Amino acid sequence: MSPSVPLQEMIRAIRSARTQCEERGVIQRECAAIRAQFRQADNGGRSHNLAKLLYVHMLGYPAHFGQMECVRMIASPRYSEKRVGYLGAMMLLDEKQDASLLITNSIKNDLAHSSQYVQSLALCTLACMGSAEMCRDLAPEIERLLRASNSYIKKKAALCAVHIVRKVHDLGEMFAPAARGLLAEKNHGVLHGAVVLITELCERNPETLERFRKTVPDLVQIMKGLVISGYSPEHDVAGISDPFLQVRILRLLRILGRNNETASDAMNDLLAQVATNTDSTKTVGNAVLYETVLTVLDIKSESGLRVLAVNILGRFLLNNDRNIRYIAMTSLQKIVGTDHTAVQRHRGTIVDCLKDQDASVKRRALELSLALVSASNIRSMMKELLIFLSSCPAELRSNAASGIFNAAERYAPSQRWHIDTILHVLTTAGGDVRDETVPNLIQLITNASELHCYTVHKLYRAVLTDISQQPLVQVACWCIGEYGDLLLRGECQDTEPVQVTEDDVLDALETVLQSHMSSPATRGFALTATMKLSTRITDNVDRIRSIVSIYGSCIDVELQQRAVEYNALFKKYDHMRAAVLERMPVIEKNSPGHTNGESTGDTIKEIQPAKVKQGELLPPQQPANQVCDLLDLLGGSGEPLQPSPAQGSVAPGLPIISPAGGDLLDLLGGLEPTPVASAPAVTVYEKSGVTLTLSCEKQSDSGLTVTLTASNSSDSDISSFTLQAAVPKSVQLHMKAPSGDFLPAQGAAKVTQMVVLNNPNKVGSTHMHRQYCFCQ
C-alpha cells in the first residue's frame, strides 16, 4: 500500500483484511509512513496523516507518537489543520500528560479569535480535556465569553464553565452573575447551557443555592412558555416542545425547592400544569412526566399534588414498556414510607407485576410488595407472596423468603398463622432460607405453648411427606424430640386425629439419619431428638440405645462425638438422664447476647445445673457471663475431680468439681467467651466458712488466666490446703505455685493460685443444636 493513500483507501484495506495478523500488518505499514511524513519539515498533508492516525487510534492501536503533531497543528493559522489538531488533542491527550500544557497558550489565543468557529474549537477542547491548571488560567476568558453577544459562543462557553466548576470548585463564584444573566436569553441552546451551569453551581455551594432561589419565578416562566407554546419545528420532539430543556429545568427546580417552603409554593401550579397537560402516550412525554413526579416528591409540595404524582407512577405501571414500569416501581419504593396510603391504591397493579417475565421488574415488584404489607392486608398480601414464592426464579427465592418472614413477624394476626406461614415457606423453599430461620422458628414454637401439639403433628406429617427441605426437617426433628409425648398421645383438637406409635416416630427419625439428602447438621438434630425420646417413651428405650451406639463410630466427627456423649449418659450418668433431657424452657425473644443460636453479646442467661444425687456438692448458681470464659475452655471434662492423697488432704467442705459443673457445662459447647478482657471476681463456693472466688482474664481467643482466691471465715485454721483442677485432653493446663497452703481462721489471710488454660484447637466450640438437650 502506498504511503500517500487517502483515508478512505486505508479504511478499505483494513476492513478487507482476512485475519488479525493481516490487519496489524496494514496498520504497521501505514503508521511507519505517517511517522516518516511527520518528520518532514514541509509537509502539506499533515491533516490528512493525522486523520488516518486518529482512525488507527479508534481501532485500539497505539497512536501516541501523534501528540506533538496535534500541538503543532493547533498552532497553525489554517482552520482545516486547526480543526483536525483540536480533534486529535481531545482524543490523544488528557490532563495527565505534559503535552497538554503546551496547548494552553494556543487555546487562549483562539478564545480571542475573530472567528466564532475557531473560538468554538478552543471551547470544546478545554471542556473536554482541560486540567485544573488550564482551567485556572483560562477561566477569565470563559467568563468574558459568557457575556458575548453571539449565542453560538455563549452556549459553548456555558458548558465549558460547567467543566471548570467541576475541576476547580472555587471558581464557581466567578460564573454565578453571568449564569443568571443567561436566563434572559431566548435561544434554547443558551438556556440549556445556563440551566446546566446553575444546577452545577447550586449542587456545590449552599450559599449559591440560596442566591439562585430568587430565580424560581424566571424558571417557572420559561417552563410555562415551553408547555403552552405552539408547534415549533426547530424544537419539537414527538409533539413536546424541547423536552431536553424541560427536563433540565425540572431538575433545577427540584434542587431549588428542596427543603424550602417559599420556592416550593412558587412552582406548585407549574408542576400541576405540566403533570396534567403532558402527553403520556409517547416516551418523550413520559420522560418529562417522570422528572415532574421526582420534583413533586422531592420538594415541599401540596398533598393533592403528591397524590397526582403517585397516580402518574401508577399509570406507568400499566405501560407496555418494561423500563417505564421499572422506574415507576423504583420511585414508588422510595416514597412508600411517606405516602403509604397513596401507594396502597396501586397495590393490585404492583402485585400483578410479580408475574412479569422480566427478572428486574419482578425483583422491584417483590421489594415494593413486601413494603406494602401492613396489619390490615397481611392475609391477602401473604397469599399472593406465597403464590409468587412457589414459582419465582431461584435467585429471588432467598429475598422472597426473608421478606415473608419479616412481614409475618411484624404483622402476624396470630401465632398459629405465623407458624403455618413459616412452615409453608420452608416446605416450598426450605433450601433458600437463611441460617437463622431454624433457631428463630424454634424460638417461636417454644413461646406458643398452646400450639405445641398442633405444631408437632403438622411437622411430623411434613417429614413423612418430604425430607429434602433441610431446615424444615431440622425444626421437625427438634419438635419431635421436645414434644414427642404430645405426638404419641394423639389428642390434638386442631388437626385430624392420627394414631402415631413409638415405632413410627423412631422410623421417621432413622429415615432422616440414613437419608443421603440429610446434611450433617440435620443428622445431629435427628440423633439428639432420638436421644430425647428416651425419656418420653417407655417401650423402645433399648432401640434408642442401639441407634445411638451405632453412630459412636460414625465417620462424621461431630455426629460421633455427640453419640459418644449420649452413650455416656446411658452408661455413666443414667440417673441424670431424665433431668438432662427435660424440655427446653421458653426461649426469651430477642434475648441479649444471642444471635443465630450463638453467644455474641455481653449477657448470657443463667444456666440451671442439672439435678444430681443427694450428697453431691455443687457450687451455687452464678451468672454465666462471669464464668463463660472458663466454661468455654473446660469443654469436656471427664470424671469428677477427686482430691489427690499425694497433695495433702482437702479441708472438709471444700468444693469438688462434679459432673454437673464439668461434663454438663462442657456440653453447652457453643458458648463463646464474653468479649471483655477480664471478668469480675465471682464466688463459686461458700460453705462451712470456706469461700472460693474465681476471676478470669482473657489473654487471647484460645488462652485464659484464672485466679482462684480462698479464704476461711470459720473459727478453726485449715492446714495442707490444696486446690486441684482437671481439664480435657484438648485443653492445656498450667497451675502456678499457690501463695500458701494454710488458711487461718477469721479470714486473717487468703490463699491465691493462678491457673493458665489454653485451648489451641478450640475443640469445645459446637453448635446450638448440640446444646438444647443439656441446657436446662
Side-chain angles (χ1 to χ4, degrees):
M1 184 174 61
S2 173
S4 60
V5 297
L7 175 63
Q8 293 83 354
E9 289 294 331
M10 186 189 77
I11 294 174
R12 189 177 298 112
I14 291 174
R15 289 182 175 178
S16 62
R18 298 174 184 175
T19 64
Q20 189 73 24
C21 181
E22 186 177 346
E23 178 184 298
R24 283 197 299 268
V26 173
I27 291 175
Q28 287 173 359
R29 289 193 298 272
E30 185 60 29
C31 287
I34 292 173
R35 281 196 190 92
Q37 295 188 28
F38 279 168
R39 287 193 291 267
Q40 296 178 8
D42 185 14
N43 181 8
R46 290 193 302 176
S47 59
H48 169 76
N49 288 322
L50 185 57
K52 292 194 291 183
L53 187 62
L54 294 180
Y55 181 76
V56 171
H57 172 73
M58 291 170 58
L59 294 177
Y61 292 93
H64 56 277
F65 59 89
Q67 293 175 353
M68 294 308 299
E69 189 67 15
C70 293
V71 175
R72 287 193 290 268
M73 292 183 67
I74 288 174
S76 172
R78 298 174 60 184
Y79 176 75
S80 59
E81 293 186 353
K82 192 181 290 288
R83 180 181 60 178
V84 179
Y86 273 123
L87 178 61
M90 286 186 278
M91 294 179 64
L92 302 180
L93 297 178
D94 58 49
E95 59 182 75
K96 297 179 181 179
Q97 296 173 349
D98 296 336
S100 63
L101 300 177
L102 301 176
I103 65 174
T104 302
N105 194 52
S106 297
I107 292 178
K108 184 174 182 180
N109 293 334
D110 288 341
L111 289 175
H113 201 277
S114 58
S115 172
Q116 65 175 1
Y117 301 109
V118 175
Q119 288 179 317
S120 68
L121 288 176
L123 287 169
C124 290
T125 304
L126 179 60
C128 178
M129 46 78 64
S131 62
E133 292 79 4
M134 293 174 64
C135 291
R136 287 192 181 93
D137 295 337
L138 300 176
E141 297 295 325
I142 304 302
E143 196 272 340
R144 177 180 60 81
L145 293 177
L146 284 173
R147 304 179 186 277
S149 58
N150 191 331
S151 298
Y152 179 77
I153 296 299
K154 282 196 285 190
K155 70 178 182 180
K156 291 184 176 291
L159 297 178
C160 187
V162 172
H163 175 78
I164 293 175
V165 171
R166 290 173 179 169
K167 282 291 179 184
V168 188
H169 305 330
D170 300 339
L171 297 177
E173 291 297 321
M174 177 187 296
F175 300 112
R180 182 167 184 176
L182 293 178
L183 293 178
E185 289 286 332
K186 300 298 183 184
N187 184 280
H188 284 207
V190 177
L191 285 174
H192 190 278
V195 172
V196 174
L197 177 57
I198 294 172
T199 302
E200 195 69 31
L201 293 173
C202 293
E203 287 179 339
R204 297 184 181 277
N205 192 330
E207 296 179 0
T208 306
L209 174 62
E210 289 298 326
R211 228 173 20 244
F212 274 104
R213 281 204 168 108
K214 300 176 183 178
T215 64
V216 170
D218 299 333
L219 293 169
V220 169
Q221 285 302 118
I222 296 172
M223 189 68 186
K224 281 185 177 179
L226 294 172
V227 173
I228 65 176
S229 64
Y231 174 74
S232 174
E234 184 180 357
H235 305 117
D236 184 85
V237 179
I240 306 295
S241 179
D242 202 343
F244 303 100
L245 181 57
Q246 289 192 41
V247 167
R248 286 292 183 181
I249 292 175
L250 288 168
R251 289 180 183 175
L252 179 55
L253 290 175
R254 181 160 73 246
I255 296 172
L256 297 175
R258 187 179 297 144
N259 299 324
N260 188 276
E261 196 79 36
T262 304
S264 299
D265 290 341
M267 61 183 78
N268 275 335
D269 292 342
L270 168 70
L271 295 173
Q273 186 176 6
V274 175
T276 53
N277 293 343
T278 303
D279 183 12
S280 61
T281 59
K282 297 181 179 178
T283 304
V284 176
N286 287 328
V288 175
L289 283 175
Y290 181 63
E291 289 296 332
T292 304
V293 168
L294 295 182
T295 303
V296 169
L297 299 177
D298 209 16
I299 66 173
K300 292 184 176 296
S301 54
E302 300 171 352
S303 59
L305 193 57
R306 296 182 70 86
V307 173
L308 177 60
V310 174
N311 290 339
I312 292 174
L313 293 176
R315 291 206 306 270
F316 283 177
L317 294 175
L318 301 173
N319 198 293
N320 293 327
D321 191 333
R322 290 174 178 170
N323 294 323
I324 295 178
R325 294 203 299 274
Y326 180 85
I327 63 171
M329 283 186 286
T330 302
S331 301
L332 289 172
Q333 179 78 22
K334 295 176 182 178
I335 64 170
V336 69
T338 55
D339 297 274
H340 192 271
T341 304
V343 179
Q344 280 283 1
R345 297 193 185 102
H346 306 280
R347 189 175 71 220
T349 309
I350 294 168
V351 171
D352 287 341
C353 291
L354 290 171
K355 305 171 186 177
D356 198 283
Q357 298 300 316
D358 188 86
S360 299
V361 175
K362 275 187 178 181
R363 184 181 297 275
R364 283 297 182 203
L366 173 62
E367 294 171 355
L368 189 53
S369 297
L370 292 171
L372 289 176
V373 176
S374 62
S376 59
N377 62 22
I378 179 67
R379 292 183 182 273
S380 59
M381 285 296 292
M382 199 58 66
K383 181 179 179 181
E384 296 290 344
L385 290 170
L386 290 175
I387 293 174
F388 170 74
L389 180 65
S390 62
S391 60
C392 74
E395 62 270 14
L396 293 181
R397 272 194 203 130
S398 178
N399 292 337
S402 299
I404 290 173
F405 288 157
N406 293 335
E409 184 175 2
R410 292 182 63 187
Y411 304 112
S414 65
Q415 285 185 319
R416 176 171 174 173
W417 181 93
H418 191 181
I419 292 174
D420 287 343
T421 301
I422 296 180
L423 293 182
H424 189 144
V425 175
L426 293 180
T427 305
T428 306
D432 299 291
V433 299
R434 296 180 179 175
D435 294 339
E436 63 266 23
T437 301
V438 172
N440 287 346
L441 180 54
I442 289 175
Q443 181 187 74
L444 175 64
I445 293 172
T446 58
N447 281 273
S449 57
E450 68 280 2
L451 296 175
H452 287 169
C453 183
Y454 167 78
T455 305
V456 71
H457 276 81
K458 187 162 186 176
L459 284 168
Y460 174 73
R461 287 196 295 269
V463 168
L464 294 180
T465 304
D466 180 20
I467 61 172
S468 62
Q469 305 292 350
Q470 296 300 292
L472 178 67
V473 177
Q474 291 173 10
V475 177
C477 290
W478 189 93
C479 285
I480 291 172
E482 288 294 318
Y483 313 119
D485 51 337
L486 301 179
L487 178 62
L488 295 172
R489 201 176 302 163
E491 300 173 0
C492 186
Q493 300 177 354
D494 298 326
T495 60
E496 297 179 5
V498 177
Q499 189 61 39
V500 181
T501 65
E502 294 179 2
D503 287 328
D504 293 337
V505 177
L506 292 176
D507 288 343
L509 292 176
E510 275 201 277
T511 301
V512 174
L513 284 168
Q514 297 170 4
S515 172
H516 68 280
M517 293 185 289
S518 297
S519 65
T522 303
R523 288 191 174 96
F525 272 92
L527 187 62
T528 302
T530 304
M531 184 64 185
K532 295 208 93 176
L533 286 176
S534 67
T535 63
R536 290 151 176 75
I537 65 179
T538 55
D539 299 334
N540 285 276
V541 176
D542 290 338
R543 180 181 175 183
I544 292 174
R545 184 175 305 165
S546 174
I547 294 172
V548 170
S549 62
I550 290 173
Y551 288 91
S553 57
C554 178
I555 193 173
D556 184 351
V557 176
E558 170 70 18
L559 205 59
Q560 179 188 112
Q561 182 178 354
R562 192 185 298 258
V564 169
E565 292 171 351
Y566 295 159
N567 277 323
L569 271 179
F570 273 122
K571 295 177 181 179
K572 298 181 181 180
Y573 309 108
D574 196 57
H575 60 283
M576 299 170 55
R577 182 161 51 87
V580 170
L581 301 179
E582 285 182 356
R583 282 188 186 175
M584 284 284 290
V586 174
I587 303 174
E588 293 187 16
K589 190 174 183 179
N590 297 328
S591 60
H594 289 78
T595 303
N596 297 346
E598 296 181 1
S599 172
T600 59
D602 295 333
T603 305
I604 299 178
K605 297 301 176 183
E606 184 171 332
I607 301 173
Q608 302 286 345
K611 300 176 182 178
V612 295
K613 292 190 301 181
Q614 185 176 4
E616 287 188 307
L617 298 177
L618 284 174
Q621 297 176 4
Q622 298 294 340
N625 66 321
Q626 298 177 345
V627 294
C628 62
D629 283 334
L630 180 61
L631 298 183
D632 183 70
L633 289 170
L634 292 179
S637 57
E639 297 295 329
L641 182 65
Q642 301 295 340
S644 172
Q647 293 180 308
S649 60
V650 181
L654 194 66
I656 297 175
I657 301 176
S658 69
D663 279 307
L664 295 184
L665 293 179
D666 163 59
L667 294 172
L668 293 175
L671 292 175
E672 297 292 340
T674 302
V676 293
S678 61
V682 57
T683 302
V684 296
Y685 179 77
E686 188 173 7
K687 191 171 183 181
S688 302
V690 177
T691 302
L692 181 65
T693 61
L694 178 149
S695 63
C696 304
E697 182 176 355
K698 185 176 180 182
Q699 302 295 334
S700 64
D701 289 342
S702 60
L704 187 69
T705 299
V706 180
T707 302
L708 301 171
T709 305
S711 62
N712 178 21
S713 61
S714 64
D715 296 331
S716 58
D717 298 336
I718 299 177
S719 60
S720 301
F721 181 82
T722 304
L723 289 172
Q724 297 179 351
V727 295
K729 294 180 180 180
S730 59
V731 178
Q732 300 170 0
L733 170 68
H734 175 63
M735 297 188 69
K736 297 186 178 182
S739 60
D741 61 353
F742 181 75
L743 278 178
Q746 304 300 326
K750 298 181 179 180
V751 173
T752 61
Q753 187 169 7
M754 293 185 66
V755 180
V756 178
L757 302 174
N758 187 30
N759 187 359
N761 298 322
K762 300 183 180 179
V763 176
S765 297
T766 55
H767 299 88
M768 183 197 76
H769 58 254
R770 186 179 169 195
Q771 305 167 12
Y772 79 87
C773 67
F774 298 102
C775 183
Q776 299 297 327

